Amino acid sequence: MGAELEPREELLGLVRSLTEQIRVDRELGKPLSHLSRENPGGAAPSVFEPALSAEASGGETSALEAVREAMADCRRCPLGALCHNLVFGEGNPRAELLFVGEAPGADEDAQGRPFVGRAGQLLTKIIVAMGLKREEVYICNILKCRPPGNRNPLPDEITACEPFLIRQIEAIRPRVICALGSFAAHTLLKSEAPITALRGRFHAYQGIPLMPTYHPAYLLRNAGAKKQVWEDVQAIMKRLHEGE
Ligand code: URA
């Protein structure tokens, strides 16, 4: 924790993620427009590129469904064969606020729904305290399948699953993302900085304001951190109310 990645390791990680992304894009029938003749400079594609956008797919719901269908009975990493249910995510496909957690636990694995165990009940309370309903936001995880014994996600599992999260975010197009815990923050921000240093201020994920905060499971063990989470979610609400 805290140490920056070695440049070679970082480059290898980037190449692996890009390769996975390209493979998923192929499965989704998404053209590699950043390499096409229309874009000879080869600039990186915008996160809101049309192929899976609301306009092209007939709505956020079908864009999300396309991502879910592309995952199918996923076996891109060993977790697919070990879990009972793939936990894709749930909520409003047009949510302004997206919560991204780490990975399903036992309750989520049994029900196929994110954040339904003890940590999930606390997350629901946080959402309600923000003046929102759970159905109004969207909730998903970095990993869609439960790691055995709730162990931490492995780098290869994150690499295999991340392209689907990227496409989910593109389909939903939230105004704000809240990264719950260090795995979500590190994966989305490509940072290794500790969550204590990342939380409390907005970062950007593909131009979308992203607030990292403590994971609700951490709050269950460290009630003293609730105050900081409350500050973080208040900042999110302020941002969401701006420009209303
Ligand atoms: N913890 C997570 O990170 N995600 C869930 O869905 C449940 C617990």
Side-chain angles (χ1 to χ4, degrees):
M1 279 282 252
E4 288 302 320
L5 288 176
E6 289 295 324
R8 187 170 173 277
E9 204 184 310
E10 194 171 356
L11 198 63
L12 279 174
L14 274 173
V15 170
R16 271 197 292 271
S17 318
L18 259 177
T19 311
E20 269 304 308
Q21 187 71 60
I22 289 168
R23 204 161 60 76
V24 170
D25 282 352
R26 280 217 189 94
E27 287 171 31
L28 287 164
K30 190 173 192 286
L32 291 172
S33 51
H34 57 298
L35 299 177
S36 76
R37 266 184 277 161
E38 281 75 42
N39 187 11
S46 145
V47 72
F48 297 146
E49 257 199 316
L52 272 177
S53 75
E55 295 85 349
S57 61
E60 293 83 355
T61 307
S62 46
L64 268 179
E65 276 166 8
V67 184
R68 174 65 190 91
E69 278 163 22
M71 288 203 88
D73 195 9
C74 184
R75 293 290 184 271
R76 291 168 184 85
C77 85
L79 297 182
L82 297 175
C83 70
H84 291 103
N85 284 297
L86 185 146
V87 181
F88 182 68
E90 69 178 21
N92 180 358
R94 305 178 58 164
E96 297 202 330
L97 176 57
L98 168 68
F99 287 95
V100 182
E102 181 178 314
D107 295 306
E108 291 76 20
D109 182 46
Q111 296 185 40
R113 297 178 54 209
F115 282 98
V116 289
R118 276 185 71 222
Q121 283 157 21
L122 181 53
L123 176 62
T124 306
K125 279 190 192 160
I126 293 170
I127 293 167
V128 171
M130 292 170 85
L132 296 167
K133 296 193 186 89
R134 195 174 148 114
E135 314 82 76
E136 284 177 299
V137 304
Y138 197 91
I139 306 173
C140 65
N141 285 302
I142 298 290
L143 293 191
K144 311 300 189 215
C145 295
R146 181 190 183 209
N150 294 348
R151 65 154 167 74
N152 287 341
L154 300 175
D156 282 353
E157 293 161 356
I158 295 177
T159 302
C161 222
E162 191 184 2
F164 298 101
L165 175 67
I166 293 172
R167 294 294 169 236
Q168 258 178 321
I169 299 174
E170 287 180 356
I172 298 164
R173 301 197 282 175
R175 281 181 56 207
V176 177
I177 299 172
C178 180
L180 299 167
S182 41
F183 277 94
H186 291 169
T187 303
L188 290 167
L189 296 176
K190 302 295 169 223
S191 163
E192 289 271 291
I195 187 74
T196 44
L198 292 170
R199 63 147 294 274
R201 64 196 162 90
F202 282 103
H203 303 252
Y205 170 82
Q206 300 279 348
I208 303 170
L210 183 149
M211 174 68 82
T213 196
Y214 295 124
H215 193 286
Y218 176 77
L219 294 186
L220 291 173
R221 301 185 303 269
N222 300 277
K226 282 186 185 170
K227 182 175 172 289
Q228 286 153 308
V229 171
W230 182 235
E231 286 164 10
D232 298 344
V233 298
Q234 275 182 313
I236 292 176
M237 290 317 289
K238 187 161 174 279
R239 183 62 77 101
L240 285 173
H241 288 310
E242 272 167 17
E244 264 185 356

